[in-house]
Amino acid sequence: MKRARNFNAGPAALPLEVLQRAQNEWLNIEDSGMSVMELSHRSAEFEKIHNHAIQTLKEIMEIPDNYEVLLLQGGASLQFSMIPMNILKDGKRADYVLTGSWSEKALKEAKKVGETAVVASSKDDTYTFIPKVTDIEMNEDAAYLHITSNNTIYGTQWKEFPETGSVPLVADMSSDILSRKIDVSKFGIIYAGAQKNLGPSGITVVIIRKDLITDNDKIPSMLNYSIHSKSNSLYNTPPTLAIYLLSLVLDWAKEQGGVEKLAQINEEKAKAIYDTIDNSNGFYKGHALSDSRSHMNVTFTLPTEEAEKQFLKEVKEAGFVGLNGHRSIGGCRASIYNAVPLSHCLELAAFMKKFQESYSAKETQAL
């Protein structure tokens, strides 16, 4: 079977080596005589897999000892509610920076819980850039400051993070976690749906500073960080297959050379496509301003709607998958997460150049 050149935004490409290993272990995991999907989540075999995933993430991201790693369900979308329910106390305000649709959704849910404020936004400019950290009008007594580190729909990414002092910095890193080295100690909470850089859909990683985990019996148990922390994320039956695949992806990341090596490759992948856009004499136009460009999601348009339709038709016929832009803004988008090989990005760049030449030639002939 020929593997697709997968540029889906999520669920997204998984490393081939991970899929092959899972295939080899599909019927017999840890010599148990069972598939991982058949294991009891209380068994020694699964406990080993579960703890390995947590410890490997701590190692790769250099997570300090005063942080807890939780493996939860509900996607990043559930965290939009869990975060304010757990740390937005009465009399406090939660500050939000709006940089795209997902930060808007996070704010919408927080408003249902308590007082919020928008302290910086690029909405008026169709989210083409990330606000400067110096433009954030943060309340020094805020419960937390929330950002979305990478914006899949608009193709923007934070290049530096705000210094928040005693205010916890909370970041939705669903689409760029593990793609570059970060200082975890700068954050109060980092959360990420796994289906872009960490594994399949169904599992959400939450990295939370331990002092932010407090007992509150008014919060429903499934939404309470304290409950999940005390039970090592095994309060209820977890998504065992997703956790197993998460552990394999983290092993793969280590084998590639860790976050530093992945970041280097990601820069090369992004450069190949952005260079093609920049050297196209305006045939391709990137949505994001150059200093806010994402290394995970490259968003762009073509001169006309007709040209875009033809491009998307031909690129699909050539074996490239998932290049349609988000339905809310249209255009084109190449999601180039960790598991997307550099070779696929180089092939896409070559296709884009070839398409421009052939389409422009046809336009000239028509005239």
Side-chain angles (χ1 to χ4, degrees), residues 3 10 25 28 62 87 103 112 118 125 166 204 348 367:
R3 294 274 293 166
E25 298 177 342
N28 183 22
E62 298 179 2
I87 67 173
S103 53
K112 300 173 183 177
V118 175
D125 292 275
S166 62
T204 306
L348 175 60
L367 295 174

Side-chain angles (χ1 to χ4, degrees), residues 70-361:
L70 305 177
L71 304 181
L72 307 179
Q73 299 175 57
S77 295
L78 186 57
Q79 293 306 308
F80 299 163
S81 301
M82 283 185 72
I83 288 164
M85 290 177 74
N86 280 267
I87 67 173
L88 178 50
K89 308 300 183 185
D90 291 340
K92 290 279 190 176
R93 187 185 88 182
D95 288 348
Y96 281 73
V97 179
L98 297 188
T99 51
S101 299
W102 299 112
S103 53
E104 286 184 9
K105 291 181 178 181
L107 173 65
K108 179 182 176 182
E109 298 307 311
K111 284 181 175 179
K112 300 173 183 177
V113 178
E115 184 182 356
T116 62
V118 175
V119 294
S121 174
S122 55
K123 185 173 184 177
D124 289 345
D125 292 275
T126 326
Y127 294 128
T128 57
F129 67 92
I130 297 294
K132 295 179 180 178
V133 294
T134 53
D135 291 338
I136 298 174
E137 299 176 353
M138 187 184 72
N139 182 351
E140 294 182 358
D141 193 38
Y144 59 88
L145 174 67
H146 182 282
I147 65 171
T148 304
S149 61
N150 184 77
N151 300 280
T152 55
I153 295 175
Y154 297 96
T156 60
Q157 185 177 31
W158 289 77
K159 303 305 179 183
E160 62 174 325
F161 298 112
E163 297 288 342
T164 57
S166 62
V167 175
L169 178 59
V170 175
D172 177 357
M173 291 193 178
S174 293
S175 52
D176 67 347
I177 192 170
L178 225 64
S179 69
R180 56 179 171 167
K181 189 175 178 61
I182 63 165
D183 182 355
V184 175
S185 69
K186 290 182 176 292
F187 299 85
I189 300 176
I190 294 170
Y191 65 99
Q195 66 274 12
K196 303 176 191 297
N197 264 342
L198 294 176
S201 56
I203 186 73
T204 306
V205 169
V206 176
I207 303 166
I208 180 169
R209 210 172 62 214
K210 290 180 179 178
D211 64 286
L212 296 175
I213 303 174
T214 57
D215 290 322
N216 186 340
D217 57 12
K218 293 182 179 179
I219 302 175
S221 297
M222 281 297 291
L223 304 178
N224 192 323
Y225 289 137
S226 179
I227 295 290
H228 291 293
S229 174
K230 290 175 182 177
S231 59
N232 190 30
S233 302
L234 294 170
Y235 174 72
N236 68 317
T237 306
T240 52
L241 178 60
I243 292 172
Y244 162 67
L245 288 169
L246 166 66
S247 74
L248 297 191
V249 170
L250 293 172
D251 284 343
W252 171 84
K254 280 185 63 177
E255 291 164 3
Q256 303 311 300
V259 178
E260 291 87 350
K261 183 61 177 179
L262 291 172
Q264 177 189 329
I265 297 170
N266 287 331
E267 288 180 15
E268 293 180 47
K269 293 189 297 187
K271 185 178 187 302
I273 302 174
Y274 283 125
D275 281 354
T276 302
I277 292 171
D278 293 341
N279 295 326
S280 70
N281 293 319
F283 185 81
Y284 298 107
K285 182 180 179 182
H287 178 80
L289 299 185
S290 59
D291 61 354
S292 295
R293 283 174 165 176
S294 168
H295 283 179
M296 294 285 96
N297 307 94
V298 181
T299 54
F300 59 95
T301 57
L302 279 76
T304 64
E305 185 177 340
E306 180 187 352
E308 279 180 11
K309 288 181 178 179
Q310 189 64 26
F311 173 82
L312 291 169
K313 176 178 179 292
E314 292 188 19
V315 79
K316 184 176 181 180
E317 290 171 350
F320 296 89
V321 176
L323 284 157
N324 294 69
H326 191 271
R327 60 187 178 277
S328 64
I329 64 168
C332 305
R333 170 175 58 178
S335 297
I336 52 176
Y337 304 124
N338 285 349
V340 177
L342 172 60
S343 61
H344 288 189
C345 296
L346 295 174
E347 289 167 9
L348 175 60
F351 177 91
M352 291 170 67
K353 293 172 186 174
K354 183 178 179 181
F355 178 84
Q356 179 184 353
E357 292 170 1
S358 62
Y359 192 86
S360 298

Side-chain angles (χ1 to χ4, degrees), residues 21-43 45-50 237-248:
R21 180 176 168 187
Q23 183 182 46
N24 291 337
E25 298 177 342
W26 193 244
L27 297 177
N28 183 22
I29 185 74
E30 295 287 333
D31 292 322
S32 64
M34 294 178 282
S35 165
V36 68
M37 293 180 291
E38 300 174 288
L39 292 177
S40 165
H41 66 291
R42 305 295 181 189
S43 66
E45 292 90 349
F46 181 74
E47 183 179 16
K48 180 180 177 181
I49 294 168
H50 181 87
T237 306
T240 52
L241 178 60
I243 292 172
Y244 162 67
L245 288 169
L246 166 66
S247 74
L248 297 191

